[in-house]
């Protein structure tokens, strides 16, 4: 009896959409799951949730101290740049790595209750949204603290954020199924995430790196570069680069198709894999 | 009123919210499940042939057939026991019936609210309190906060856990966990209740209480599927039995007759298996 890697006869293109809708209808459940995880993570520490703010501030402060002088923009401007970009960057990158483990950590539930798989994805995103919400408030406080004000163009960060949120769902879904089947994805992502720290304009300013070359090419191919551009530029008072919007638009569609295909192939087999 | 969980779709969580009593229905047609094997296990031609193992042409282990051609039909008030040796496919069958894993082949038709307790440790947040777990499991089973609150007191009473419900569940003994999970699962009036053998771990008082509760629920025209190694628990709760052997139905019928067949078979195979050394 021949058994292919994925049983093609069980391919179901619509299953991802049905699963996402079924999960989206039950926010009480994934919010409860997410709340539990947050409480567990911080329950036994004295400072509790303050650690979210502390670890964020430590990073922003050290980057501005060590890297601030490499940049041509003013010191206070660079601090705000790092603060906003780092908040959204850790949110996005964290979701990629969380995505690889999203089904593995929910293993006991997957094997004991017939819930939509998107419940676990929404739970994971809700948890990181909570952290992002705190970090982002600190970032805005830093922005105001250095005497900057929000430009009217800042509203463009709102649609950008929703598009990124959509991408996060697709990315978690695709990586979740892939990593459940192929453990190597986990290791691959761990090594690649380090590279993203350097190739994404968080520690450096994108506009100051205009010289064509390998460095430029790699950072412009990096989806995080464009994700940060469409979200952060409006908050920092600049018109976001239309190329970045185009890149993210295409990326979203491609990611959606990839998630549909991977999910369609994997959905029914997930309980066997985790 | 019928939800069909065919091989192409993930079985719906609550197949049908039927309000009328006496409509519960569970039918399996030719269910088959094959677990894929990972790693590099080569075929040993000296080993006794095992019909469950699937080999590739080059003699590598590709999978294990956990269930083959399982068909049966249960309707209101039926109480089915699943018996068989370890590894005969009992838990896999329960997982398929509960909609947790989709069958490779075959069709499952289920009408009625399904509640399954397949592994006592699954679906529990051990770091959370008993009360919190009541909420989580209730939400996971698709109930609203209001419905959960309406039943909280009853669950607390049945579990007899009292103040322990405010403590994290990793402080509970196995028996306490079992009481709570059983209390939660049966509090919401399931129409189809699927239980694995862990129930037999309880003490006598709890077993009696659980048996009473199961009987009252089956009396209200539900379906019970119970896998167990305990003849007493089976005789107390079931009227029909299915003997699974290497993933296939070996015998199916009235509970006492099947149990007798199974016991005499087990004794017969035990003797030659007792080799010296």
């Amino acid at each position: 009896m021949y058994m292919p890697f994925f049983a093609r006869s069980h391919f179901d293109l619509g299953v991802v959409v049905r699963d996402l809708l079924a999960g989206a209808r039950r926010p009480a459940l994934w919010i409860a799951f997410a709340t539990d995880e947050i409480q567990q993570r911080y329950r036994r520490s004295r400072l509790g949730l303050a650690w979210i703010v502390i670890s964020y501030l430590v990073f922003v402060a050290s980057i501005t101290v060590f890297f601030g002088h490499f940049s041509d923009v003013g010191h206070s401007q660079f601090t705000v740049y790092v603060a906003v970009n780092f908040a959204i960057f850790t949110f996005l990158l964290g979701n990629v790595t969380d995505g690889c483990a999203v089904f593995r950590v929910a293993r006991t539930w997957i094997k004991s209750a017939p819930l939509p798989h998107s419940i676990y994805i929404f739970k994971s995103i809700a948890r990181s949204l909570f952290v992002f919400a705190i970090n982002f408030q600190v970032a805005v406080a830093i922005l105001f603290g250095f005497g900057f004000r929000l430009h009217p163009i800042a509203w463009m960060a709102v649609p950008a954020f929703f598009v990124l949120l959509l991408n996060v769902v697709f990315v978690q879904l695709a990586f979740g199924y892939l990593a459940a089947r192929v453990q190597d994805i986990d290791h691959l992502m761990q090594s690649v995430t380090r590279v993203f720290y350097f190739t994404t304009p968080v520690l450096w300013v994108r506009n100051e790196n205009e010289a064509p070359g390998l460095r430029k090419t790699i950072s412009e191919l990096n989806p995080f570069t464009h994700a940060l551009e469409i979200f952060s530029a409006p908050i920092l008072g600049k018109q976001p680069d239309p190329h970045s919007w185009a890149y993210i638009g295409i990326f979203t569609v491609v990611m959606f198709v990839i998630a549909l295909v991977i999910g369609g192939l994997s959905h029914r087999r997930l309980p066997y894999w985790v | 009123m019928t939800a069909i969980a065919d091989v192409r779709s993930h079985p719906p969580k609550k197949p049908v919210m039927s309000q009328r009593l006496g409509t519960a229905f569970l039918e399996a047609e030719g269910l088959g499940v094959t677990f894929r094997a990972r790693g590099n296990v080569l075929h040993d031609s000296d080993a006794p042939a095992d019909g469950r193992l699937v080999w590739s042409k080059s003699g590598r282990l590709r999978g294990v057939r956990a269930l083959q051609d399982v068909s049966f039909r249960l309707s209101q008030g039926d109480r089915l026991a699943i018996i068989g040796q370890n590894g005969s496919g009992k838990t896999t069958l329960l997982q398929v019936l509960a909609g947790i894993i989709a069958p490779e082949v075959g069709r499952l038709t289920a009408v009625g609210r399904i509640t399954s307790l397949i592994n006592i440790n699954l679906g529990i947040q051990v770091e959370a309190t008993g009360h919190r777990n009541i909420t989580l499991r209730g939400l996971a089973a698709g109930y609203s906060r209001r419905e959960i609150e309406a039943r909280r007191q009853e669950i607390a009473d049945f579990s007899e856990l009292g103040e322990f419900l405010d403590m994290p569940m990793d402080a509970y003994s196995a028996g306490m966990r079992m009481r709570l999970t059983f209390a939660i699962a049966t509090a919401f009036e399931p129409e189809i209740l699927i239980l694995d053998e862990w129930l037999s771990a309880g003490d006598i008082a709890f077993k009696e209480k659980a048996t009473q509760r199961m009987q009252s629920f089956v009396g209200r025209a539900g379906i019970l599927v119970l896998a167990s190694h305990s003849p007493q628990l089976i005789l107390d709760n079931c009227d029909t039995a299915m003997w699974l052997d290497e993933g296939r139905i070996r015998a199916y019928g009235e509970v006492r007759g099947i149990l007798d067949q199974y016991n005499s078979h087990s004794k017969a195979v035990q003797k030659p298996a007792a080799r010296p050394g």
Side-chain angles (χ1 to χ4, degrees):
Chain A
M1 181 177 163
Y2 170 68
M3 285 193 295
F5 185 69
F6 285 111
R8 197 174 305 155
S9 59
H10 295 313
F11 181 68
D12 183 352
L13 194 62
V15 72
V16 165
V17 176
R18 290 200 303 276
D19 189 294
L20 285 172
L21 292 176
R25 271 197 292 267
R26 302 177 64 183
L29 180 58
W30 42 265
I31 290 172
F33 276 145
T35 315
D36 259 40
E37 270 193 32
I38 294 164
Q39 281 177 355
Q40 272 158 36
R41 192 166 295 186
Y42 297 101
R43 182 178 286 153
R44 296 194 184 188
S45 67
R46 274 166 188 276
L47 296 177
L49 294 176
W51 276 115
I52 295 174
V53 177
I54 295 169
S55 62
Y56 167 77
L57 282 178
V58 165
F59 188 88
V60 171
S62 36
I63 291 306
T64 46
V65 169
F66 288 111
F67 290 87
H69 301 290
F70 296 135
S71 168
D72 299 333
V73 299
H75 198 268
S76 57
Q77 213 174 335
F78 185 70
T79 309
V80 174
Y81 176 89
V82 171
V84 175
N85 273 309
F86 184 63
I88 185 74
F89 179 66
T90 43
F91 171 71
L92 296 174
L93 191 64
N95 269 291
V96 176
T97 43
D98 286 353
C100 291
V102 67
F103 293 133
R104 213 165 324 117
V105 297
R107 172 193 310 116
T108 59
W109 282 94
I110 291 173
K111 283 176 188 277
S112 65
L115 294 172
H117 298 161
S118 54
I119 294 274
Y120 312 114
I121 290 170
F122 293 146
K123 172 208 77 178
S124 169
I125 295 173
R127 192 196 57 215
S128 55
L129 256 181
F130 177 78
V131 176
F132 172 74
I134 293 177
N135 287 345
F136 185 66
Q137 284 173 43
V138 179
V140 173
I142 291 173
L143 187 137
F144 283 106
F146 278 102
F148 295 98
R149 292 292 169 263
L150 286 177
H151 190 267
I153 200 151
W155 71 268
M156 283 195 73
V158 178
F161 187 70
F162 282 106
V163 170
L164 295 181
L165 213 49
L166 204 59
N167 273 290
V168 158
V169 174
F170 302 149
V171 165
Q172 283 226 10
L173 214 129
F175 279 106
Y177 284 120
L178 267 183
R181 181 71 184 90
V182 192
Q183 302 263 313
D184 306 60
I185 298 290
D186 227 4
H187 298 288
L188 175 76
M189 285 320 294
Q190 274 177 28
S191 51
V192 171
T193 45
R194 276 176 228 140
V195 177
F196 281 126
Y197 266 92
F198 304 109
T199 56
T200 310
V202 178
L203 312 184
W204 44 273
V205 181
R206 187 183 177 206
N207 303 336
E208 293 173 9
N209 187 23
E210 288 295 343
L214 186 63
R215 210 173 97 167
K216 172 87 177 156
T217 315
I218 291 175
S219 81
E220 289 301 308
L221 282 175
N222 174 4
F224 287 103
T225 303
H226 303 285
L228 262 56
E229 171 72 22
I230 63 167
F231 178 77
S232 302
I235 293 172
L236 300 170
K238 283 193 296 266
Q239 188 78 31
D241 183 356
H243 290 110
S244 292
W245 261 108
Y247 181 105
I248 293 295
I250 294 167
F251 186 84
T252 310
V253 175
V254 171
M255 214 49 232
F256 178 57
V257 174
I258 290 175
L260 278 188
V261 172
I262 292 182
L265 288 166
S266 317
H267 191 277
R268 62 185 304 284
R269 298 213 62 94
L270 184 68
Y272 298 79
W273 292 343
V274 290
Chain B
M1 289 296 279
T2 312
I4 294 170
D6 67 281
V7 290
R8 290 181 56 83
S9 69
H10 191 68
K13 211 201 69 48
K14 273 190 278 179
V16 161
M17 289 290 293
S18 134
Q19 295 302 316
R20 287 173 296 149
L21 284 178
T23 51
F25 178 75
L26 189 63
E27 184 178 31
E29 296 165 85
L31 296 183
V33 168
T34 306
F35 291 114
R36 234 146 280 216
R38 292 200 210 185
N40 198 0
V41 180
L42 290 173
H43 185 50
D44 176 3
S45 50
D46 294 336
D50 189 330
R52 285 173 294 177
L53 302 182
V54 185
W55 302 97
S56 73
K57 274 180 197 155
S58 54
R60 272 175 225 285
L61 183 64
R62 300 304 303 266
V64 179
R65 289 196 196 96
L67 285 181
Q68 287 178 75
D69 200 24
V70 172
S71 304
F72 60 89
R73 190 189 172 110
L74 299 173
S75 51
Q76 51 193 79
D78 282 348
R79 298 165 292 155
L80 175 69
I82 300 175
I83 54 174
Q85 289 172 297
N86 291 330
S88 58
K90 297 188 296 295
T91 302
T92 307
L93 177 56
L94 295 185
Q95 284 180 316
V96 172
L97 298 183
I100 293 161
I101 61 179
E104 203 102 6
V105 290
R107 198 153 87 142
L108 180 72
T109 312
V111 180
R113 186 190 290 249
I114 299 180
T115 300
S116 58
L117 284 181
I118 291 179
N119 183 328
I120 180 170
N121 291 316
L122 298 187
I124 277 188
Q125 310 283 98
V126 287
E127 304 89 347
T129 65
H131 272 307
R132 183 72 183 156
N133 272 289
I134 295 176
T135 310
L136 284 178
R137 288 201 68 131
L139 287 171
Y143 300 98
S144 69
R145 298 243 173 207
R146 187 183 297 183
E147 287 170 298
I148 295 165
E149 291 315 318
R151 294 210 166 58
R152 187 178 296 280
Q153 192 54 45
E154 190 203 330
I155 295 170
D157 291 345
F158 187 87
S159 69
E160 296 174 9
L161 283 169
E163 308 270 288
F164 275 97
L165 284 173
D166 293 316
M167 288 169 61
M169 279 189 79
D170 47 13
Y172 288 21
S173 71
M176 290 161 84
R177 279 187 199 190
M178 190 179 63
R179 292 211 298 268
L180 183 57
T181 37
F182 183 82
I184 297 171
T186 50
F188 294 101
E189 287 157 22
E191 289 170 296
I192 301 174
L193 182 60
I194 296 171
L195 298 171
D196 206 352
E197 55 202 359
W198 56 264
L199 191 67
S200 40
D203 59 24
I204 294 171
F206 174 73
K207 266 191 225 174
E208 270 172 19
K209 211 171 156 182
T211 298
Q212 244 177 36
R213 191 155 191 170
M214 282 193 276
Q215 275 162 356
S216 84
F217 133 77
V218 177
R220 292 196 305 267
I223 292 176
L224 173 70
V225 181
L226 169 68
S228 178
H229 288 295
S230 153
Q232 197 52 50
L233 194 69
I234 289 172
L235 287 172
D236 285 348
N237 289 292
C238 303
D239 53 6
T240 317
M242 174 197 293
W243 175 7
L244 275 183
D245 190 23
E246 298 197 342
R248 292 175 179 277
I249 298 180
R250 176 141 173 185
Y252 187 98
E254 193 272 323
V255 63
R256 205 168 279 275
I258 301 290
L259 263 180
D260 288 345
Q261 272 186 52
Y262 174 65
N263 286 336
S264 52
H265 170 80
S266 305
K267 280 187 193 120
V269 292
Q270 259 166 23
K271 271 177 196 156
R275 282 174 301 206

